[in-house]
Amino acid sequence: MKTTLTGNTPLPRDQQHPVRLELNGQQRQGGCEARKLLSDFLREDLGATGTHVGCEHGVCGACTIQVDGVAARACMMLALQAEGRRIRTVEGLCSHDGELSDLQQAFRRHHALQCGFCTAGILMSCDDYLRRKPDPSEAEVRDMLSGHLCRCTGYTPIVAAVLETAALRRATSNKPNGD
């Protein structure tokens, strides 16, 4: 049986196919069967275990990553579809020296995580969202978070962390040079 990735290119199902991508700023490659999900490829083949797998149906949001800068569900994408793409996982949010991003620091300050299972996916969605919407309202943040399931926090500390991050980023961007 053959599967087709795109166009008219048939791919044998049980054969290893190369996947080359940029993962958190580094060129990486591996091989996988045509039907392997990106979430599994990231975790099992590339060691990006911060990408969690929850529902495997794109509903819970735990597997959210960024593909070419846009939040996406890694469990809804085949690894082969990531060929040549820029993939960013939660491991890529902190600086190269390991310092947490401003968003991660706000999550820590506001206790916006408890068990942590959903946190990586929520962080990736929030990071993408704040780049596109730098001044969100509480209602807008809650609406964005509706694509994620979190059973521990009740979302209130997550919303507070996102709103604080947005406010701090706006205040920093509005400072005149030299201040």
Side-chain angles (χ1 to χ4, degrees), residues 70-91:
V70 178
R73 303 291 203 249
C75 77
M76 299 298 293
M77 187 172 172
L78 295 172
L80 295 179
Q81 292 174 299
E83 172 69 29
R85 312 289 287 276
R86 280 185 358 263
I87 306 296
R88 189 171 181 218
T89 65
V90 70
E91 292 92 343

Side-chain angles (χ1 to χ4, degrees), residues 16-21 28-33 36-48 78-80 82:
Q16 293 285 307
H17 303 280
V19 179
R20 291 170 294 278
L21 52 81
R28 300 288 303 272
Q29 64 181 13
C32 66
E33 292 181 1
K36 189 164 199 171
L37 296 176
L38 180 57
S39 54
D40 295 331
F41 181 72
L42 291 171
R43 291 181 60 78
E44 297 166 7
D45 298 282
L46 300 184
L78 295 172
L80 295 179

Side-chain angles (χ1 to χ4, degrees), residues 79-158:
L80 295 179
Q81 292 174 299
E83 172 69 29
R85 312 289 287 276
R86 280 185 358 263
I87 306 296
R88 189 171 181 218
T89 65
V90 70
E91 292 92 343
L93 284 181
C94 62
S95 66
H96 293 294
D97 64 0
E99 183 180 340
L100 296 178
S101 71
D102 56 348
L103 181 61
Q104 291 170 305
Q105 290 175 29
F107 266 59
R108 184 191 315 182
R109 276 192 302 279
H110 288 275
H111 306 285
L113 59 115
Q114 289 180 22
C115 81
F117 191 80
C118 66
T119 305
I122 290 175
L123 282 165
M124 297 311 292
S125 285
C126 292
D127 179 72
D128 170 46
Y129 185 71
L130 287 174
R131 275 197 317 275
R132 291 183 290 108
K133 181 101 176 139
D135 190 12
S137 69
E138 179 178 339
E140 290 168 327
V141 172
R142 287 187 181 279
D143 184 57
M144 180 270 302
L145 288 171
S146 69
H148 289 274
L149 299 178
C150 174
R151 295 181 175 200
C152 300
T153 67
Y155 300 96
T156 300
I158 297 170

Side-chain angles (χ1 to χ4, degrees), residues 49 138 162:
T49 57
E138 179 178 339
V162 172

Side-chain angles (χ1 to χ4, degrees), residues 3 24 27 46 53 74 99 176:
T3 58
N24 299 323
Q27 292 298 318
L46 300 184
V53 179
E99 183 180 340

